[in-house]
Amino acid sequence: MNVLLLGSGGREHALAWKLKQSPDLKELWIAPGNAGTNEIGKNIDLSPLNFPEIRDFVLEKKIDMVIVGPEEPLVRGIQNFFLDNKNLKNIKLIGLSKQAAMLEGSKDFAKSFMKRYKIPTANHKTFTLKDFPEAINYLNSIEPPYVLKADGLAGGKGVIVCKNISGAEKVLEDILKNRKFGSAGEKVVIDHFLEGIELSVFVATDGKSYKILPEAKDYKNIGEGDTGPNTGGMGAISPVPFADKIFMNKVEERIIKPLINGLKNGNIDYKGFLYIGLMNVNGEPFVIEFNVRLGDPETEVIIPRIKSDLLEMFVAMADQKLSKYKIEIDERTAATVILVSQGYPDKYEKGKIISGLENITSSIVFHAGTFKDINGNFATNGGRVLAVTSIDYDMQKAIDISMENAKKIIYEGKYYRKDIGSDLQKYNL
Ligand code: AMP
Ligand code: GLY
């Protein structure tokens, strides 16, 4: 089978790494990919958002399956583009439809959907510029901290939590009046604050049935002790010790089943991944957000724990035979530590030569922002540079191996959090 994988992060390297282990894989292309994916398959310099170019490439290279990594092509309707084209509609596309992608593309849509299907989430109200005075009144009527969310896609920066009312009013003004997030901020969702510990649950769907993939916890802040600005993710652990059978059963009954039923009821086509961002509030799960893709860096710990054939799962998803697929999960813990560029998530430099990768044998190193320079050296090419994943029966051991190996990788300005997983120790009895 010839496969085209769209995306360029650690998530895509992890998917490529696993797909390569499938006996059914013939050719693997990654658009645009990174230096890591190019070692596994062939990178092709195509934008995942340029649908006509993707169409031409898919037809020319006789691609049988397209796997969509990031959300933006889904929100822009790549699945619908394939279905509407007579030459493409029989190609297996792993990714949700534009309507289903609204679960990620519009926080207001996601909130209304959850209310309709009684899926537990924080209470909220949505406002536009014309309701500005009401929005201010609403903020003043609820307790701090205040959670303000730009409705649309804002590159992971659209959620702001403010401790005091003056800060919250300023954020509201920035989004609605000063259009800080452009059209993504035409609506603002004001959420009640949920106090608890977060985790992410992943579901593969085929439009009829679903499989729950390993859950994970990621570390969003740049600084140790969850301080400083949000990033794409600085590390992840799977499984999550507090996500025991009782908790996961609540997630399935209260969230996953009503969500899948809601999509069915609304005639919303869905074949792909659902990523459910959850808050565990005293043992009760509440949805913080939906995404329509796999998480990054969560994929770098989920995928190494899936023992069964991933390409076979994708085929089952595309053919709506997922109920027959047997997913096998490794019970060991996977831990990943993300190495980033100095300055990330703000401004950072690129092009720093990376050395020491050849010394790593006890971890899997997934590339994120990397390229190979003209002299054949690996070099940095993004904020998040590498993900160092290790697996062990003991969670702390898995973390320690990743930390040791993170030390051995050298480039100018390397930074990583040394406290990944330390908050989970108390649950890991
Ligand atoms: P999101 O992009 O919706 O995942 O939000 C980014 C981060 O904001 C989440 O990972 C949470 O840490 C935080 N957050 C979002 N909504 C809430 C909420 N209702 N209560 C507490 N924290 C929240
Ligand atoms: N790890 C967070 C995300 O993928 O959005």
Side-chain angles (χ1 to χ4, degrees), residues 11 71 104 156 200 202 218-220 231-236 275 289 291 293-299 384:
R11 168 182 51 213
E71 66 281 7
E104 175 162 1
S200 313
F202 297 90
D218 83 337
Y219 292 80
K220 288 206 170 81
T231 68
M234 296 295 293
Y275 157 160
E289 63 161 349
N291 294 301
R293 54 180 171 80
L294 292 174
D296 192 350
E298 291 94 327
T299 304
R384 290 193 287 176

Side-chain angles (χ1 to χ4, degrees), residues 33-156:
N34 58 40
T37 60
N38 206 35
E39 306 269 295
I40 292 176
K42 288 185 215 154
N43 285 355
I44 168 79
D45 192 14
L46 276 182
S47 162
L49 299 178
N50 191 334
F51 300 166
E53 265 185 29
I54 291 171
R55 173 197 59 211
D56 295 347
F57 183 80
V58 160
L59 296 175
E60 186 199 320
K61 298 290 180 195
K62 300 196 168 31
I63 300 289
D64 303 294
M65 175 186 285
V66 177
I67 301 162
V68 186
E71 66 281 7
E72 217 177 333
L74 300 169
V75 173
R76 294 208 196 175
I78 191 166
Q79 189 261 9
N80 310 69
F81 180 88
F82 269 64
L83 270 190
D84 291 346
N85 182 305
K86 66 175 183 347
N87 297 321
L88 298 178
K89 70 172 183 235
N90 292 324
I91 290 168
K92 300 179 196 305
L93 187 119
I94 305 301
L96 297 188
S97 64
K98 192 172 181 169
Q99 301 114 292
M102 289 275 282
L103 286 172
E104 175 162 1
S106 165
K107 300 214 186 265
D108 180 50
F109 175 87
K111 281 290 199 180
S112 313
F113 187 93
M114 285 187 268
K115 287 280 165 258
R116 198 167 333 127
Y117 294 101
K118 300 196 168 46
I119 295 172
T121 184
N123 286 330
H124 84 289
K125 274 207 159 118
T126 302
F127 299 95
T128 59
L129 181 58
K130 70 173 176 29
D131 333 300
F132 192 78
E134 288 91 325
I136 295 282
N137 286 342
Y138 183 69
L139 274 178
N140 279 279
S141 73
I142 61 175
E143 295 291 318
Y146 306 94
V147 185
L148 294 101
K149 303 185 175 192
D151 178 56
L153 293 184

Side-chain angles (χ1 to χ4, degrees), residues 18 214 305-309 325-330:
K18 181 72 180 161
R305 290 192 60 220
I306 298 180
K307 293 203 276 189
S308 31
D309 188 308
Y325 176 78
K326 233 186 121 25
I327 186 162
E328 278 178 74
I329 309 286
D330 191 333

